[in-house]
Amino acid sequence: MAKEKTVYVCTNCGQDSPKWVGKCPSCGAWNTYVEEVVRKEPVNKRPVSGLEPVKSKPVTLNDITGGDEPRIDMQDEELNRVLGGGLVPGSLVLLGGEPGIGKSTLVLQTVLHLPDRKVLYISGEESARQLKLRADRIPHNSSDCLIVCETSLEQIYIHIKNTQPDLVIIDSIQTISTETIDSSPGSLVQVRECSASILKFAKETNTPVILIGHINKEGSIAGPKVLEHIVDTVLQFEGDQHYMYRILRSIKNRFGSTAELGIYEMRQNGLRQVSNPSELLLSQDHDGMSGVAIASAIEGVRPFLIETQALVSSAVYGNPQRSATGFDLRRMNMLLAVLEKRVGFKLAQKDVFLNIAGGLKVNDPAIDLSVISAILSSNMDTEVERDTCMAGEVGLSGEIRPVNRIEQRIGEAEKLGFKRILIPKHNLQGMDTSKLKIEIIPVRKVEEAFRALFG
């Protein structure tokens, strides 16, 4: 007879405790412990003292053969770049994102374009008919893709043994459960044990596995943080459902860089790769419009130009409003304070609204200069010339601080036909500007930038 054991597990970090506690001693979160029932199998084997033979033995570092891992081409340039050059055999990849963002669509359209690979797609959420309806919307050639609807981990291993696939997709890990644990699917213990078992299978058979995971209301992948520690690569698929752009980020990657970024455009027939996002993110008809400034930003390692929009109006009520979409509101308040203190513009009684066009969320500090330029442009009702872009971080004393990868930013602006670019003066050191066709305007303080823009 199996013994039942009850443990309390923190939903935030996965720390377990034999009794309920109010504050997690590991992560410090309050009221995050939930009860989980774990079934322990009886152990008849007594621990043996002394040494026992083991299956593996230690080897020296010189005896281990090195070399690059052969990678599987996923027939998708954006996905290949984010993965670090392709999918590594035997790797476990976790793809997370909000409901309806397009995780299953991305994975399904990718495997449907792998003609030489036998793919086993295990669906625990959707029926085979639903997957067929989605696949019919995606243009593809005939693919050796096998579909099975299953939620039992033991049955999944039987299907894998019978089909011998080259790639396994599990959609999603929160629906899979194992019979060895007496707990409901999606619980912390089930997610952790199933993921660890799948990792062992992937490493022993050298079969790559892609897991699709849910995210919670805080925006992180549901389940304990240990789930992200188990897998080799964690990819985050994000974007606003009301916009057509989707961004694929690498949060963790044991086989490549986490600075890469993939951009997709959602269409009725699936996701389209966006090789040049700058052209899509810039609206072409803002002639004569105030409150618009173009920033040369870098997300990951990719430079692209984005449109910063601002609206400044007199406050109707006593307390002026501050609102920012796609930009940190606290940083915008800091920039407004710099404008008022260092430059002398009175914005305390004005409503200020800021928007990054295209539904993007940008964390690059180099767009500070375009943010304050768009705010000032709207306040003065004077347009910024459409062939001018800028890059620079604004400090608290009103200075324009240097930014990284300035050559890539300038090159992207030049490629898209911009005539002038404002950059921090310190970035000019050691730069050869003789071959550039774009005019470089170095600025040291906010006042200099405003004089260059507005005269």
Side-chain angles (χ1 to χ4, degrees):
M1 184 71 182
K3 296 179 182 178
E4 284 195 355
K5 178 187 175 185
T6 301
V7 296
Y8 292 87
V9 184
C10 174
T11 57
N12 192 42
C13 67
Q15 177 79 18
D16 54 16
S17 170
K19 61 181 181 179
W20 187 88
V21 290
K23 182 180 179 181
C24 177
S26 177
C27 65
W30 284 91
N31 298 325
T32 55
Y33 272 77
V34 294
E35 186 179 12
E36 295 286 353
V37 178
V38 182
R39 191 174 71 201
K40 289 284 185 181
E41 296 295 336
V43 180
N44 297 322
K45 186 179 177 182
R46 296 178 60 189
V48 180
S49 60
L51 300 177
E52 286 190 73
V54 291
K55 294 180 181 178
S56 60
K57 61 179 182 179
V59 293
T60 62
L61 197 60
N62 294 330
D63 294 336
I64 302 173
T65 56
D68 294 334
E69 286 278 351
R71 294 180 182 260
I72 300 171
D73 184 7
M74 303 301 288
Q75 307 293 325
D76 185 328
E77 291 182 8
E78 302 291 306
L79 181 59
N80 280 340
R81 183 170 59 248
V82 175
L83 286 172
L87 189 63
V88 176
S91 62
L92 185 60
V93 179
L94 176 64
L95 174 64
E98 293 182 0
I101 204 71
K103 305 183 297 293
S104 301
T105 303
L106 174 65
V107 172
L108 186 61
Q109 81 171 29
T110 301
V111 300
L112 289 178
H113 289 88
L114 296 176
D116 301 328
R117 303 281 177 179
K118 182 187 283 188
V119 180
L120 178 61
Y121 192 107
I122 299 158
S123 176
E125 295 182 337
E126 297 177 306
S127 65
R129 188 178 182 85
Q130 287 174 298
L131 289 171
K132 172 65 175 173
L133 292 173
R134 176 180 291 147
D136 288 342
R137 298 198 306 265
I138 302 171
H140 64 277
N141 302 323
S142 58
S143 174
D144 192 9
C145 181
L146 303 170
I147 306 292
V148 61
C149 299
E150 186 59 68
T151 57
S152 170
L153 185 63
E154 286 74 20
Q155 291 297 317
I156 287 172
Y157 285 143
I158 293 175
H159 289 302
I160 291 174
K161 185 178 179 182
N162 293 336
T163 56
Q164 297 293 318
D166 300 320
L167 172 63
V168 178
I169 312 292
I170 297 180
D171 183 8
S172 65
I173 185 61
Q174 275 82 12
T175 62
I176 307 301
S177 61
T178 174
E179 297 172 1
T180 59
I181 296 175
D182 195 10
S183 182
S184 60
S187 64
L188 299 175
V189 178
Q190 285 282 11
V191 168
R192 182 168 53 192
E193 293 300 321
C194 290
S195 301
S197 176
I198 294 168
L199 176 70
K200 185 179 179 183
F201 155 76
K203 300 302 179 186
E204 288 179 350
T205 62
N206 208 33
T207 305
V209 181
I210 297 178
L211 306 177
I212 297 177
H214 298 167
I215 67 169
N216 54 27
K217 60 184 179 182
E218 285 83 20
S220 57
I221 292 173
K225 202 71 177 174
V226 71
L227 176 59
E228 296 183 27
H229 292 296
I230 288 173
V231 300
D232 296 312
T233 305
V234 180
L235 304 181
Q236 186 91 7
F237 202 43
E238 59 190 43
D240 195 325
Q241 293 187 15
H242 304 292
Y243 289 91
M244 54 187 170
Y245 305 116
R246 302 287 186 268
I247 294 178
L248 184 67
R249 299 180 188 272
S250 175
I251 300 175
K252 169 192 174 183
N253 194 351
R254 286 175 178 157
F255 309 109
S257 170
T258 56
E260 292 289 357
L261 193 77
I263 299 181
Y264 294 87
E265 180 185 6
M266 177 63 85
R267 294 187 169 185
Q268 282 192 337
N269 58 353
L271 291 155
R272 185 183 73 86
Q273 304 172 44
V274 179
S275 57
N276 189 7
S278 299
E279 294 180 355
L280 291 174
L281 295 173
L282 298 179
S283 63
Q284 305 298 322
D285 52 356
H286 58 78
D287 271 346
M289 294 170 57
S290 63
V292 177
I294 307 300
S296 182
I298 283 187
E299 278 291 303
V301 295
R302 298 182 66 181
F304 54 88
L305 300 184
I306 56 175
E307 190 176 297
T308 309
Q309 303 171 345
L311 177 64
V312 179
S313 61
S314 298
V316 179
Y317 307 103
N319 201 10
Q321 298 183 65
R322 302 282 189 263
S323 175
T325 304
F327 190 75
D328 188 7
L329 181 60
R330 291 173 297 181
R331 189 163 187 86
M332 187 187 78
N333 288 329
M334 184 202 79
L335 295 174
L336 291 175
V338 171
L339 280 177
E340 186 146 345
K341 176 79 173 177
R342 303 298 179 188
V343 192
F345 288 97
K346 303 300 180 184
L347 298 169
Q349 299 304 317
K350 300 287 184 73
D351 290 338
V352 181
F353 303 95
L354 182 70
N355 178 46
I356 305 298
L360 291 179
K361 293 179 182 175
V362 184
N363 299 317
D364 188 2
I367 73 167
D368 287 353
L369 187 55
S370 69
V371 168
I372 62 173
S373 299
I375 291 171
L376 193 60
S377 169
S378 178
N379 186 47
M380 298 167 54
D381 204 16
T382 305
E383 70 165 320
V384 177
E385 292 184 21
R386 63 171 298 174
D387 59 358
T388 302
C389 66
M390 58 204 76
E393 180 184 352
V394 177
L396 289 179
S397 60
E399 81 277 14
I400 308 297
R401 299 177 58 81
V403 296
N404 61 348
R405 296 178 183 164
I406 193 67
E407 291 89 355
Q408 289 178 266
R409 299 176 195 267
I410 295 172
E412 183 74 7
E414 187 178 10
K415 186 173 69 176
L416 288 171
F418 282 81
K419 302 288 178 27
R420 303 193 304 162
I421 181 169
L422 276 69
I423 67 168
K425 193 170 184 179
H426 291 288
N427 278 124
L428 268 182
Q429 296 177 0
M431 186 190 301
D432 183 16
T433 59
S434 58
K435 297 180 181 179
L436 297 175
K437 298 178 182 177
I438 187 172
E439 181 187 355
I440 305 292
I441 303 176
V443 289
R444 196 169 59 89
K445 288 190 174 183
V446 174
E447 300 95 312
E448 296 178 23
F450 291 160
R451 278 198 297 270
L453 290 172
F454 307 110

